[in-house]
Amino acid sequence: MVSKAMASMSLLLTTIVLTTKCRQANSNTPAVRLPHFAGPIVNVSFPVGREAVLTCNVANLGGFKVGWLRASDQTVLALQERVVTHNERITITHEDFSTWRLRIKQLRETDRGCYMCQINTLKMIKQVGCIDVQVPPDILSDDSSTDVAVQEGDDAILTCRATGNPPPRVIWRREDGHPILIRRQGIREMQRVDSYNGTEMRLAKLERRQMGVYFCIASNEVPPAISKRVSLSVHFSPTVQTPSQLLGSPFGSDVELVCNVESSPIPVFYWLRGSRQRYDGTGSVNLELGHSRNEMLLDGPKYSILEDRDGYKGLMTLLIRSFSVSDVGTYHCVATNSLGKAEGTIRVYDYVSSEGRAPVDSDVINNMGGLAEAARGRANSSANSQQLMATKTAILLLTSLGVFLTTYR
């Protein structure tokens, strides 16, 4: 019994000694250094389609592991080098287990956001870095103006809405390079600007000279810029101006008649000839039978009809070939559109080259008898050539009288 008691005491003492030595040994062992981050994750910004990289620097990683998560929904993306999300665009690389990089290829707008670098210590440590995805501008067609048509004097608003990251800046320019005319509130005169900034360009009390094609241009820090073409039409009834209402030309020559037209929409235009006259040799002027009304002229051997347009302005030209006595008379250039009609009048007469111009006007008609008598006097006192000229002058004046009377009936 004694021997067994002594043996049990000896075992207990041995156990206490060993336990004490172990505790001493543990107390002499230095504390284990836990991992920590060597610096913050730098936020980055990359254009869409490029590769984005976030870098996480870790010190004393030891046997611990690094994981990457999407911060917004805590989705686990990778653990160490192993990618656990089903996204082939994501990869993980590291350098000596201290520099860990999250790489996202072919960047999309949906990749914009913050990402978490995490170390699985007993008390988890983490830090966050964010990716901004830059997107080039895009114009929203459904929210932007198409071609616009308004009446002259009305207001118009040209709209151009664009998206992108960073938010794009919108400017307006004219396609032809001319300044934009803007009517500011409280200012009578229009202001001329090379460009207009803003999503909406307001044009008050439009004038025809503001008509044209405008470019809306959206741009940000990400190329390329994008543009949209908007045509602005200002509608008004036609106006016609004739540079010369009385035109003289010698017989046998070609005569060109010109009218300046302004109209929007584009007008239908044509030329009319007034009622024809003839000289019957008895001193009287009569209407030709079958020509009591204006006659529409057609392009052909006798007449050449041309139109040259520049925006809302146009030039109407009538060429009379081989001008003769039968071509003397009144011509009308007519322009018509859905808003109205306008015309200009040009009278054409023979030009007497040796005596100067012989226009048809009231003075000539009032003095017809005196001029004819003067012509007869010159015939009695001159050579045969002077007789011929006087006779021609008298015939011309009688013909012109018929044109005048017909025009002003």
Side-chain angles (χ1 to χ4, degrees):
M1 292 292 292
V2 176
S3 61
K4 289 183 178 180
M6 291 296 293
S8 298
M9 182 62 71
S10 176
L11 180 60
L12 179 61
L13 290 173
T14 301
T15 302
I16 292 173
V17 169
L18 290 174
T19 302
T20 301
K21 287 182 178 181
C22 288
R23 288 178 178 176
Q24 289 176 349
N26 289 338
S27 64
N28 293 331
T29 301
V32 176
R33 298 181 63 186
L34 297 175
H36 62 278
F37 296 111
I41 299 177
V42 178
N43 297 332
V44 294
S45 180
F46 292 95
V48 67
R50 301 286 293 278
E51 182 184 50
V53 180
L54 286 177
T55 301
C56 180
N57 294 306
V58 180
N60 303 319
L61 181 61
F64 295 94
K65 297 185 182 299
V66 174
W68 286 94
L69 298 85
R70 188 176 179 96
S72 60
D73 54 12
Q74 299 294 302
T75 300
V76 178
L77 304 177
L79 184 63
Q80 293 291 87
E81 301 99 329
R82 181 186 175 191
V83 176
V84 297
T85 185
H86 299 291
N87 190 338
E88 296 179 351
R89 297 182 297 112
I90 293 179
T91 57
I92 302 295
T93 61
H94 69 86
E95 298 173 6
D96 300 328
F97 294 93
S98 59
T99 301
W100 294 82
R101 292 186 173 89
L102 170 68
R103 297 178 179 273
I104 305 178
K105 298 178 181 179
Q106 299 174 0
L107 203 59
R108 302 173 182 173
E109 285 191 71
T110 54
D111 297 323
R112 183 185 296 115
C114 296
Y115 296 81
M116 183 186 301
C117 176
Q118 188 180 92
I119 302 176
N120 66 335
T121 54
L122 184 60
K123 184 178 181 181
M124 183 189 66
I125 59 175
K126 62 183 178 180
Q127 63 176 354
V128 175
C130 299
I131 298 175
D132 185 27
V133 181
Q134 299 173 338
V135 181
D138 185 32
I139 295 176
L140 303 176
S141 297
D142 293 341
D143 295 332
S144 301
S145 296
T146 54
D147 292 347
V148 177
V150 296
Q151 298 281 346
E152 190 170 35
D154 289 348
D155 300 342
I157 300 177
L158 304 187
T159 304
C160 182
R161 303 196 184 279
T163 61
N165 186 47
R169 181 172 67 101
V170 176
I171 64 171
W172 294 86
R173 297 184 186 276
R174 283 187 63 109
E175 183 183 48
D176 56 16
H178 294 169
I180 296 175
L181 301 177
I182 300 293
R183 194 186 303 277
R184 305 287 187 184
Q185 188 174 6
I187 301 177
R188 184 175 181 180
E189 295 295 329
M190 283 192 176
Q191 292 184 326
R192 301 164 64 91
V193 296
D194 292 331
S195 61
Y196 182 91
N197 297 327
T199 300
E200 291 185 347
M201 182 168 63
R202 298 177 178 270
L203 302 171
K205 298 180 181 179
L206 277 166
E207 297 181 7
R208 63 191 66 181
R209 55 182 175 154
Q210 293 173 277
M211 186 187 312
V213 175
Y214 293 80
F215 276 121
C216 148
I217 305 169
S219 62
N220 59 10
E221 299 173 5
V222 188
I226 191 170
S227 64
K228 178 179 174 64
R229 190 176 185 268
V230 180
S231 176
L232 173 63
S233 298
V234 181
H235 290 174
F236 55 92
S237 60
T239 59
V240 176
Q241 292 184 339
T242 54
S244 176
Q245 295 180 340
L246 190 62
L247 185 62
S249 182
F251 291 139
S253 63
D254 292 345
V255 182
E256 186 177 75
L257 283 60
V258 175
C259 288
N260 295 315
V261 180
E262 293 186 4
S263 176
S264 178
I266 296 174
V268 174
F269 85 93
Y270 51 91
W271 286 89
L272 298 175
R273 175 177 174 167
S275 301
R276 293 186 180 182
Q277 296 86 30
R278 67 177 181 179
Y279 176 64
D280 61 6
T282 64
S284 61
V285 180
N286 301 315
L287 292 176
E288 287 190 17
L289 296 178
H291 295 285
S292 59
R293 295 183 179 181
N294 290 337
E295 172 191 1
M296 180 177 290
L297 304 181
L298 301 177
D299 194 75
K302 181 62 178 178
Y303 304 107
S304 176
I305 300 175
L306 302 173
E307 180 186 16
D308 184 18
R309 293 196 59 82
D310 182 12
Y312 64 89
K313 297 182 179 181
L315 188 68
M316 298 168 56
T317 304
L318 171 67
L319 179 66
I320 305 173
R321 298 186 178 94
S322 300
F323 181 59
S324 64
V325 173
S326 62
D327 296 319
V328 172
T330 304
Y331 295 81
H332 307 276
C333 54
V334 183
T336 178
N337 66 9
S338 58
L339 299 178
K341 176 181 178 181
E343 70 175 58
T345 300
I346 303 174
R347 287 182 292 158
V348 185
Y349 65 93
D350 176 35
Y351 177 81
V352 183
S353 59
S354 63
E355 296 289 334
R357 292 186 181 274
V360 179
D361 57 27
S362 59
D363 291 336
V364 171
I365 295 210
N366 292 335
N367 294 284
M368 173 67 79
L371 290 174
E373 183 64 27
R376 287 193 295 271
R378 286 195 300 271
N380 293 331
S381 59
S382 303
N384 291 335
S385 61
Q386 293 296 325
Q387 286 181 340
L388 179 61
M389 182 58 67
T391 302
K392 181 179 178 180
T393 301
I395 293 173
L396 172 64
L397 292 174
L398 291 172
T399 302
S400 299
L401 173 60
V403 173
F404 182 86
L405 293 176
T406 302
T407 304
Y408 288 91
R409 284 193 173 191

